[in-house]
Amino acid sequence: MRQRRTHLRTAVTAAVALGIALSAVPAQARTPTRPPAPGIENCTATACHFDLPPGTYDVRVTLGGDLASRTAIAGETRRALLPETAAPAGGRTVRGFTVNVRTPEGEPLGAQGTPGLDLTLGGTAPALAGIRVTPARHARQILLVGDSTVCDQPGDPYSGWGQRLPQYLREGLSVANYADSGESTVSYLGNPLLWDAVRPLIRRGDLVLIQLAHNDKTTDGPAYRANLEALVAGVRERGGEPVLVTPVVRRWFNTDGTLDNDTALLVNGLGVDHPAVIRSVAADRDVPLIDLTARTKELVESLGVEGSKALYLYNEKRDNTHTSVHGATVYANLVREELLNLRLVPKGSVRVE
């Protein structure tokens, strides 16, 4: 019994001593420290690279220098992430945006791209004073399902409106552009690397903008409607909010200066009026509608035969379907306006400068 008491006393004394020793260790030494957020050490005067895994990231930038500056930021596959932003001489301007990093980094069926997050500094007088990149904890996604008029085009002079949309959004709202060149409703649903890969990424509350029509040249009316309804149902099953988008018009004028013809307004060779079907599905299924056909028709006609050339690649490629960087930017702004008009995003999440 005495021996047991001696052992117990020794154990208690050791435990007390150990407790004193542990309490003497600073809390900072006991708690694993997080690595610092990637910053400006990852940047040159014209670009930044961050070794990060795929995901969604908040980027906070401090712009400015000794001289007055104007800085724009693009990233990944030529995405416009921040419009040209001014900072006065000796002053600083802070801005934030949220960026989607994925592989492939552009079109789903395109090139893999480079790992990590790549940003490019542009503008008339770029000046980056600081940058901080952190994982986005509560970002809402806008996923895009579409064709070449929407996608992240890999090279000049082409650009899709989805490629230019991120610059209009503030931190906390990201664009994940899964539009792919040449896709129709048939091919997007049928390719396992497209809809089957995108659908699991949809989270509750995400917006999914769907613009597929240009390449449904041989899709009959019932099939086209059924495909749109399948896309809508798939989004809703994941808890997302589908938004149907009618296609941008082709720049194809009648002799009287209007676009009232099948080629311009996306009526296919079988007589299927794609915008009309999309409007009908939106009404029948209670889906928000962005009527980009109506908005772009009005704009193109107002600019006329000559003025509208700059929206498309007419001068560069004699192309009246695909948009220039300027045209894609203008059309992305129309989408921004409609997102606000339909109250699909709060005003505070959209950049108005």
Side-chain angles (χ1 to χ4, degrees):
M1 181 68 70
R2 182 179 299 169
Q3 187 177 10
R4 180 183 292 177
R5 288 174 180 168
T6 301
H7 288 164
L8 181 60
R9 190 181 301 117
T10 302
V12 170
T13 302
V16 171
L18 181 60
I20 293 172
L22 285 175
S23 64
V25 178
Q28 185 177 5
R30 297 201 307 270
T31 305
T33 57
R34 290 181 179 179
I40 201 165
E41 69 277 2
N42 295 279
C43 302
T44 67
T46 58
C48 302
H49 174 76
F50 302 93
D51 290 322
L52 297 169
T56 305
Y57 295 90
D58 290 331
V59 180
R60 183 65 58 90
V61 294
T62 302
L63 308 175
D66 294 336
L67 304 176
S69 63
R70 296 188 64 86
T71 308
I73 299 178
E76 298 295 271
T77 304
R78 302 175 61 238
R79 295 180 221 159
L81 299 173
L82 187 73
E84 189 167 84
T85 303
R92 297 291 185 268
T93 299
V94 177
R95 292 289 185 270
F97 54 87
T98 300
V99 60
N100 172 257
V101 177
R102 62 182 183 271
T103 302
E105 69 178 35
E107 296 177 83
L109 303 186
Q112 294 292 296
T114 56
L117 171 60
D118 288 285
L119 303 176
T120 303
L121 308 179
T124 53
L128 180 67
I131 185 169
R132 184 171 181 266
V133 181
T134 56
R137 302 298 182 189
H138 306 289
R140 185 186 186 193
Q141 294 185 113
I142 298 178
L143 294 102
L144 305 181
V145 170
D147 53 33
S148 58
T149 64
V150 185
C151 74
D152 288 349
Q153 289 281 0
D156 281 327
Y158 294 89
S159 186
W161 63 254
Q163 199 166 21
R164 308 299 295 176
L165 182 62
Q167 67 185 312
Y168 293 117
L169 308 178
R170 297 184 185 275
E171 187 176 335
L173 190 58
S174 73
V175 173
N177 190 351
Y178 286 91
D180 194 77
S181 293
E183 305 303 338
S184 64
T185 58
V186 176
S187 63
Y188 206 97
L189 282 166
N191 191 325
L193 297 177
L194 294 172
W195 184 235
D196 287 349
V198 174
R199 188 173 170 274
L201 304 176
I202 302 170
R203 304 175 308 208
R204 185 163 299 278
D206 286 343
L207 293 177
V208 183
L209 274 58
I210 301 165
Q211 186 214 282
L212 287 168
H214 279 88
N215 300 301
D216 279 280
K217 299 173 183 177
T218 59
T219 310
D220 63 36
Y224 186 64
R225 171 179 285 273
N227 291 342
L228 292 175
E229 290 174 342
L231 289 164
V232 166
V235 173
R236 285 177 166 166
E237 286 168 3
R238 294 288 302 172
E241 182 170 4
V243 180
L244 290 174
V245 184
T246 60
V248 299
V249 296
R250 293 190 178 99
R251 185 191 160 277
W252 199 275
F253 284 90
N254 291 323
T255 55
D256 63 358
T258 67
L259 295 180
D260 290 323
N261 59 73
D262 291 352
T263 300
L265 300 183
L266 284 299
V267 178
N268 74 9
L270 302 178
V272 180
D273 186 331
H274 292 106
V277 175
I278 296 169
R279 294 175 189 124
S280 175
V281 172
D284 292 346
R285 300 294 178 179
D286 194 25
V287 179
L289 174 73
I290 294 177
D291 198 340
L292 206 51
T293 303
R295 293 295 305 271
T296 54
K297 177 180 184 293
E298 179 183 19
L299 176 61
V300 169
E301 288 182 343
S302 70
L303 292 172
V305 174
E306 290 301 318
S308 62
K309 288 179 179 178
L311 296 173
Y312 293 84
L313 295 175
Y314 179 83
N315 294 324
E316 299 87 347
K317 303 284 185 178
R318 293 297 188 269
D319 185 335
N320 292 305
T321 298
H322 297 97
T323 47
S324 63
V325 171
H326 168 65
T329 303
V330 172
Y331 289 176
N333 186 52
L334 296 180
V335 173
R336 177 193 70 85
E337 291 177 356
E338 291 304 305
L339 289 172
L340 286 173
N341 291 340
L342 294 169
R343 298 183 179 180
L344 294 170
V345 296
K347 289 183 179 180
S349 64
V350 175
R351 208 179 299 280
V352 294
E353 57 202 289

